[in-house]
Amino acid sequence: MITHFAGLQLNTVSKLAVKQFYQDQLQFPVVFESETAITFQPTADFALTFTEAFEPIAPAHIAFEVPYSEFEASAAFVRSAGISLLKWPAGHEIDEFETGSNIYFRDGDGNLLEIITHSYVKEGVLAPCGPLKVMYLREIGFPVDDVIGFREWLKSTLHLKTIKEQDNFNFVIGGTAHTIVTSTQRRWIPIAMIALPPRMTVSLGVSDSRFIEQVRTTLEEQGIVSHTNAGHDEELSFSFNGYRLRLVVTAFPEETAALLNLPLARK
């Protein structure tokens, strides 16, 4: 089964600007750096990589989950780092909803970042990391033209689940990973940013190699080409709907979502 987001690779027009924002301001540790690429480690289980590319950047949307008790401290840290929070049309920066709160801001490439918290997420299961108090990457946005088709493909191929289904916006969930399948005609809140499909590679952590083999078989039946490293049965890479996906076996505990009290994992 899918357990979490293990990694995300995005393009950038400036590795130096990315380093200044994510290392200097957000204080994400750098674990790899070359002349044209850099990888940050916001948590022990998630890596964020940027690679320079000579092409226009379509901004991505991602959301980091922080503990409910630490949300105010996380928001204060973002402000203290000199990062401007985005405002909602009504003028407020912190939005409160039925089960939590969130804030939004952008990096130098225009990527829309969100810090979100939920009152039902149990604390003490995953240690909050760094001054931003990140527990895990909760959301990655996947703008598509055919929302229903992409949603159903994620469900049938990767065994993801939904709680509530809509024609233009869906959370399709596996473990702690919430893929946001949204219409390219639906703009990102809170600033009505056009939802362009970003060029990205998303690494999904999985529980074991048997799941990877199941997915490989399903892809073959669909006529989708997949790739593995020679002699390595714990990774699988493929593309669908313009997005590059990678499955990788990790040590992330399969029961984490249930321990966190996430709705689809509750027993």
Side-chain angles (χ1 to χ4, degrees), residues 58-78:
H61 167 55
I62 60 176
F64 295 98
E65 182 81 20
V66 302
Y68 192 73
S69 66
E70 298 281 7
F71 176 76
E72 292 296 336
S74 296
F77 169 72
V78 174

Side-chain angles (χ1 to χ4, degrees), residues 192-226:
M193 187 176 84
I194 295 173
L196 298 173
R199 190 180 296 275
M200 63 184 182
T201 299
V202 177
S203 295
L204 293 159
V206 304
S207 52
D208 55 56
S209 57
R210 290 173 298 177
F211 180 81
I212 287 181
E213 190 56 38
Q214 292 173 7
V215 173
R216 189 202 317 275
T217 299
T218 301
L219 293 174
E220 289 177 354
E221 294 171 349
Q222 297 173 355
I224 296 175
V225 177
S226 60

